[in-house]
Amino acid sequence: MKVLIVGGGGREHALAWKCAQEARVSRVFVAPGNAGTALEPKVENVDIAAEDIEALLGFAHQTGIALTIVGPEGPLVAGIVDRFNAAGLRCFGPNRAAAQLEGSKAHAKDFLKRHRIPTASYATFTRANFDPQYLRAQRLPLVIKADGLAAGKGVIICETHDQAIAASRGMLEGDFGAAGETIVVEEFLAGEEVSFIVIAHERQVLPLATSQDHKRRDDGDRGPNTGGMGAYSPAPLVTASTHARIMADVIEPTLSGLAADGIAYTGFLYAGLMIGADGTPNVLEFNCRFGDPETQPIMMRLRSDLTTLCEAALDGRLDRCEAAWDARAALGVVMAAGGYPESYRKGEPISGLEAAARLPGKVFHAGTQLTGGNVVTSGGRVLCAVGLGVDVRSAQRQAYDLVAAIHWNLVQYRRDIGWRAIAREA
Ligand SMILES: Nc1ncnc2c1ncn2[C@@H]1O[C@H](COP(=O)(O)OP(=O)(O)O)[C@@H](O)[C@H]1O
Ligand SMILES: [Mg+2]
């Protein structure tokens, strides 16, 4: 079968790499892909943007694509699955209505409240009804969120009421464009975050391996928020009893709530959770797709065919499926361009990729491009070096051996990815 992966980041390289290893897959196309997918055996890039749904549909038709897997949220929220299904093509991901769980944070909060799924208390405002007095009456810190898609930049944690009011006004007055026309003002939750990702088909669910990522740019989880500077799987924080609690208190009520609301959800469903000191899981947000960089370590550990799991979900056979996992831990370190997440340079030649390819582990590409046979940087997050090991500590060692082999001008990366898990192991 021929598979199409939509997107061009590290997540999509990992999905394409995984699908390409499967005996039932003859060829994998990635639109638009990156230098990593261009160089991967059995994988080919297609020069179509992830948001160009009509062109993707035309390509899938002409090429006889049996299964399309959508990486990023943009095309899902824009309705790529509805469009492919209407044309009789199989496309893995939630439809437009289901993707609103990610597309609108206000919608997601109302959904959580309606179905009594644990989440921070909140209120939503527009310019028309913004009430600074409500904010002044709340405990600090306060979390202000733009409702719509903001590429991971639309959340501000405020330490004072004045700051919270200013952040709210900024959003409502257009700092995040249309994404900030509605805002969510949320109670701050203390605890440790985990990424809990499942494959869902209506009421059927297959939980994937647990993971944790590091959102902040600097060591010690300090500095500005980013798309993610590293991730590992499994997350030792999610013990068997916490896992059972997440399934019973979050995932199952979410799927039954969707069904009760008349929404048929098929696809990856990612719950960003804050785990309290007593193990209570609270939902911070939903994503309607796989995480990046969580995908990279999780795909390193997945033994089952990903395409088989996606097809089982599309066919409503997910309840008869199990996923097999490598018992080892996987840990990915993101190598980013200097200056990221603010402004950074593109076009820097990357050295050491051949040497890294001879080492154990795997380097997934994100913001890279092939120019005249050379791999150069083309984005903020450039590579994700993933190691495997008997525990998170040894997976970390393998990942940093890969990192040490690679260089470019002004490369930056964290040196402590996995520190919480390693502290737990010690
Ligand atoms: N209620 C909250 N309490 C504490 N931290 C929060 C809260 N909501 C969000 N955060 C922090 O902000 C980050 C981004 O928020 P999230 O809702 O995941 O939005 P997005 O991923 O779209 O930026 C989270 O990963 C978490 O670190
Ligand atoms: Mg998030």
Side-chain angles (χ1 to χ4, degrees):
M1 69 193 281
K2 292 179 189 164
V3 175
L4 171 64
I5 308 287
V6 175
R11 165 182 51 214
E12 289 76 21
H13 186 190
L15 294 172
W17 167 83
K18 174 66 187 155
C19 292
Q21 289 172 52
E22 299 173 5
R24 61 202 298 268
V25 174
S26 57
R27 194 126 197 103
V28 180
F29 298 89
V30 190
N34 55 38
T37 51
L39 297 168
E40 201 66 63
K42 257 169 88 174
V43 180
E44 196 174 309
N45 285 351
V46 186
D47 190 16
I48 303 175
E51 293 74 31
D52 191 347
I53 295 175
E54 291 313 309
L56 292 168
L57 185 62
F59 172 80
H61 252 308
Q62 280 160 23
T63 317
I65 298 291
L67 174 67
T68 298
I69 302 176
V70 185
E73 62 279 13
L76 291 166
V77 173
I80 187 171
V81 171
D82 311 62
R83 195 67 191 88
F84 271 58
N85 287 349
L89 289 174
R90 313 196 89 190
C91 188
F92 187 73
N95 61 25
R96 188 164 195 248
Q100 277 302 97
L101 268 193
E102 174 163 5
S104 164
K105 289 191 192 293
H107 166 84
K109 292 295 285 189
D110 293 346
F111 171 88
L112 289 161
K113 188 176 174 191
R114 190 164 63 246
H115 298 290
R116 297 167 199 273
I117 300 163
T119 192
S121 66
Y122 73 104
T124 58
F125 296 102
T126 61
R127 252 167 108 156
N129 70 355
F130 180 60
D131 176 12
Q133 289 319 315
Y134 170 88
L135 271 67
R136 291 218 183 272
Q138 304 307 308
R139 263 199 307 204
L140 295 166
L142 258 181
V143 184
I144 313 295
K145 299 186 174 184
D147 173 57
L149 297 182
K153 298 197 165 82
V155 173
I156 305 177
I157 296 174
C158 302
E159 303 294 338
T160 68
H161 289 116
D162 286 343
Q163 196 193 351
I165 291 165
S168 301
R169 289 221 161 96
M171 283 186 191
L172 292 169
E173 278 157 23
D175 287 359
F176 294 92
E181 281 173 12
T182 297
I183 61 166
V184 177
V185 176
E186 215 175 90
E187 162 201 17
F188 179 86
L189 298 171
E192 195 172 327
E193 287 180 66
V194 298
S195 308
F196 200 90
I197 305 169
V198 304
I199 297 181
H201 173 74
E202 301 178 7
R203 301 291 290 268
Q204 301 174 4
V205 59
L206 181 75
L208 299 175
T210 59
S211 59
Q212 270 181 294
D213 79 340
H214 294 267
K215 293 245 162 30
R216 306 289 205 98
R217 187 191 59 195
D218 304 329
D219 285 5
D221 295 313
R222 281 182 248 274
N225 254 323
T226 70
M229 295 301 285
Y232 50 94
S233 171
L237 174 68
V238 184
T239 58
S241 71
T242 301
H243 194 281
R245 206 158 157 195
I246 293 168
M247 289 301 291
D249 296 352
V250 174
I251 301 299
E252 276 152 20
T254 297
L255 299 180
S256 53
L258 285 163
D261 291 354
I263 303 282
Y265 194 108
T266 301
F268 299 114
L269 176 66
Y270 170 134
L273 302 174
M274 186 68 86
I275 309 292
D278 62 349
T280 307
N282 270 285
V283 177
L284 293 176
E285 66 156 351
F286 288 116
N287 293 321
C288 64
R289 34 92 192 163
F290 228 116
D292 188 340
E294 292 94 328
T295 308
Q296 292 86 316
I298 292 177
M299 285 303 119
M300 284 287 275
R301 296 187 58 220
L302 181 61
R303 287 268 158 271
S304 312
D305 282 356
L306 179 66
T307 56
T308 304
L309 299 179
C310 293
E311 287 197 317
L314 289 167
D315 294 337
R317 291 183 283 106
L318 203 53
D319 51 346
R320 276 163 274 164
C321 270
E322 264 186 80
W325 299 99
D326 192 320
R328 288 175 296 175
L331 181 141
V333 177
V334 169
M335 301 180 74
Y340 174 79
E342 285 96 36
S343 62
Y344 49 82
R345 277 163 59 170
K346 296 183 182 178
E348 295 287 352
I350 303 172
S351 64
L353 289 168
E354 301 75 17
R358 289 190 292 270
L359 296 172
K362 172 76 187 170
V363 176
F364 294 106
H365 290 227
T368 67
Q369 197 180 303
L370 263 185
T371 48
N374 294 317
V375 180
V376 303
T377 68
S378 68
R381 291 191 295 165
V382 177
L383 301 171
C384 180
V386 185
L388 283 166
V390 290
D391 51 18
V392 177
R393 168 91 222 150
S394 46
Q396 186 199 50
R397 209 170 295 129
Q398 198 177 86
Y400 280 105
D401 284 346
L402 290 168
V403 168
I406 299 169
H407 186 74
W408 71 85
N409 189 24
L410 301 179
V411 56
Q412 63 160 334
Y413 52 87
R414 280 181 56 165
R415 294 167 203 260
D416 66 345
I417 298 302
W419 67 271
R420 288 176 203 277
I422 290 164
R424 239 177 224 107
E425 283 171 355

